Amino acid sequence: MIRYILGESIERCDESIVRSLKEALADVIACTIAGCQTEVARIVKTFAVQQWARGKSSLFLSTHALQAAGATFVNATMANALDLDDGHRLVKGHPGAVVFPAVLAAAEERETTGKAFLTALLIAYEVAIRAGMLAHQLRPEYHCTGSWGAIGAAAGVGRILGLSVEQLRHALGIAEYHATYSPMMRCIDHPSMLKDGIAWGSMTGISSAYLAQQGFTGIPSLFGTKEAAELVEEMGMLYRIQQLYFKPHACCRWAQPAVEGAKYLAERHRLSHREIGKIVIRTFRESARLSKKAPANTEEAQYNLYFPVAAYLVFGEVGPRQVLRELANEEILSLMSRMETQIDCQLDAAFPEKALSQVELCTYDGRRYLSPVMQAKGDYDFPLTGEEKKAKFFRLTEPFLGRAGSEELFERIQQVDQLANIRQLTAAIARNLSD
Amino acid sequence: MIRYILGESIERCDESIVRSLKEALADVIACTIAGCQTEVARIVKTFAVQQWARGKSSLFLSTHALQAAGATFVNATMANALDLDDGHRLVKGHPGAVVFPAVLAAAEERETTGKAFLTALLIAYEVAIRAGMLAHQLRPEYHCTGSWGAIGAAAGVGRILGLSVEQLRHALGIAEYHATYSPMMRCIDHPSMLKDGIAWGSMTGISSAYLAQQGFTGIPSLFGTKEAAELVEEMGMLYRIQQLYFKPHACCRWAQPAVEGAKYLAERHRLSHREIGKIVIRTFRESARLSKKAPANTEEAQYNLYFPVAAYLVFGEVGPRQVLRELANEEILSLMSRMETQIDCQLDAAFPEKALSQVELCTYDGRRYLSPVMQAKGDYDFPLTGEEKKAKFFRLTEPFLGRAGSEELFERIQQVDQLANIRQLTAAIARNLSD
């Protein structure tokens, strides 16, 4: 594992891997920008600016710059604030939002090249995803992203800092031990700003690498266990960043197959939401455990099964507008009151490798339509097209950067490996802003 | 639980509880002062001064003052750095080191009275101990102090900040979710500076209260579970701070009954360590899992079964000097090489309620002595006397504050509830120091 962290370089990777990495980077940057308008972003920024020292690591869409750990906490909060950020099925969580802010903050602090940043980001993704797979295998409870994601963040930041073999070992162990405790299912039952523990985990990960640099010692990492051997072996050969999913809808991934089922039926049969008398969602147990109540805040809207399905049927999209400003929409709430859920044992058995649902719509005039078993769109075996991903980028960034600013940022992401200083990337986000 | 946090006051407590609280305060202050000379303290201070902003919360024996979270991280590191700090058997960990630095940092930031500080400290202890008992009951893994301790820290700090009922609820839930992940037994097998996760957990706890104050939301706390009912019910009636143990020796509690056994035999039979040919330690499983190797650093010396027993036999004490400067002492290492361990199923069954061991010494000339089954000295049912506790305070503080400074500090601790501003307490620690 340490050999991989020290030896990896985007220069030795296939072009397709660098392409995947840039797609992930564009997606997480767009999500972070869009996430700045949430209440949780405001709260966390106030806290962070008070606690952490001024530094060289930027907060997105802000004139403040903090020491690396503080900036990481803020940006990671925003990256996942709309639940629109990337994920990986086998870790049941979000690698991008937890590793990107930490690697970026360290790269800004060190003013690394774009190439060094991109290499560290790749390392962080690869390590985080495997740490997540192992955490779920080795320990009985469901681990939130912040727990295993911290380990990936520490690995990427460790590479940026130029840690020695010994320091890297310690950094991984510190991150594993300090990362969040995560009674995750209580956060499904009671949606809160904690969500996936991403921001605290990301901050914990970067802090672990900085602590290791000073000589702080940690436990041997979980990558030394026998269960890890195969996953460590494959590193540098199999790139799991190519198995990421990208989200079209701003809500928990577990609700998205149902959104796809509703979308399929509404488009195929040209149904207006006003015709629909009843909606039955057949799904897996975790999905069924999501809230079904009228949401009181954006977190409850995102961790909801009915809200996004209804929002999609009313608006034709589930984006920042829906989960931030349409919580009390009468048509959405009315549709939600006509839904029911059935747990299907076959769909249940396919989870977590696949997240599947099936939707049945009954119209007021007695027609009944059944969707096929649907997968959430955006997975690596059912991907968004390049154009769809690009459209998502512009949909999320234009309200803040304008068309020209979004285009410039998109271009800079495509050229990130050519940048002499990673701050040329963040400068394209911060320009012309004030708090 | 929230009612208890909001309603508690040292003014309504029996005098014996206030006395217990002041004893605990004196002990943890002395441990924090003595802990400043460790390598981990230097490392953490460098990291903290870099990352967190300057503020009003002091770092012990330093001219620096940081924002509350940063100061907490440093002081909590020092509080447990020598493993001399208080503990509670039923949580298998250290309430004082995890709650005191957080409550103090918040009190300094707010310049509270000594009375308000003392009340918040009492709350933090009572909540932390019950959170620890619950954590071990509700979840299968062994939880390090940082995990449940963060919840107590959040409660005490929440009281200092004057959080509302709702904000307090969130603070407890944030702390529970963000606190450390803690594969604790890997830290027993491989001693490192992570130890009990105390410093990160303490910092997490105070940050949770400050986040809640800004409006950050959390999960419902574990105190809402049915398993918690009895523990919540007893609050304000049973004071578990009166069940604390205080440590005479600077090492893991699990090794201390064996030190007591060796001490008993050496004193009773006036044995010099040079006469001892063999030592057999009968103990419980966890104790037997402690390292038995020659320590490479202070953490390995503290999380060791043989080192403290040998150090006691050679020096008549296991204090800062032994675990910091006598790691390569030939006589200690020679004694360690003549030890062996047996797991005893009766002693094992008594754990964790009691930590018991029995020692057998054989001299080179063929005498054989067997100690009674020994309990670690300092527990509430086998306490250090008031004089012994006071002697420990002076032994730990005098090298740094001198006799007069130690006496002044000890007096100020006895009068802490009379202080108009808690900084009058920390001023007595910081005086005449430079970094």
Side-chain angles (χ1 to χ4, degrees), chain A residues 39-93:
Chain A
E39 174 69 359
V40 67
R42 188 193 62 71
I43 289 169
V44 162
K45 209 182 291 180
T46 305
F47 169 80
V49 167
Q50 178 191 77
Q51 293 292 328
W52 279 285
R54 304 284 170 275
K56 299 178 174 177
S57 303
S58 59
L59 314 188
F60 272 37
L61 298 193
S62 162
T63 52
H64 286 292
L66 296 181
Q67 289 294 326
T72 295
F73 186 52
V74 175
N75 289 338
T77 298
M78 303 199 292
N80 179 251
L82 293 167
D83 215 343
L84 260 167
D85 48 307
D86 70 43
H88 188 284
R89 290 242 50 77
L90 296 179
V91 298
K92 301 191 277 183

Side-chain angles (χ1 to χ4, degrees), chain B residues 3 5 41 57 150 164 173 188 207 213 277 289 328 339 342 356 359 385 390 401 435:
Chain B
R3 200 165 42 230
I5 295 171
S57 304
S164 70
I188 304 291
S207 297
Q213 187 184 35
R289 193 154 158 183
M339 295 188 186
Q342 293 169 1
L356 304 173
V359 174
T385 64
K390 195 168 168 182
L401 307 180
D435 274 87

Side-chain angles (χ1 to χ4, degrees), chain B residues 23-37:
Chain B
E23 279 183 350
L25 179 60
D27 192 75
V28 73
I29 285 178
C31 291
T32 309
I33 288 172
C36 81
Q37 63 194 313

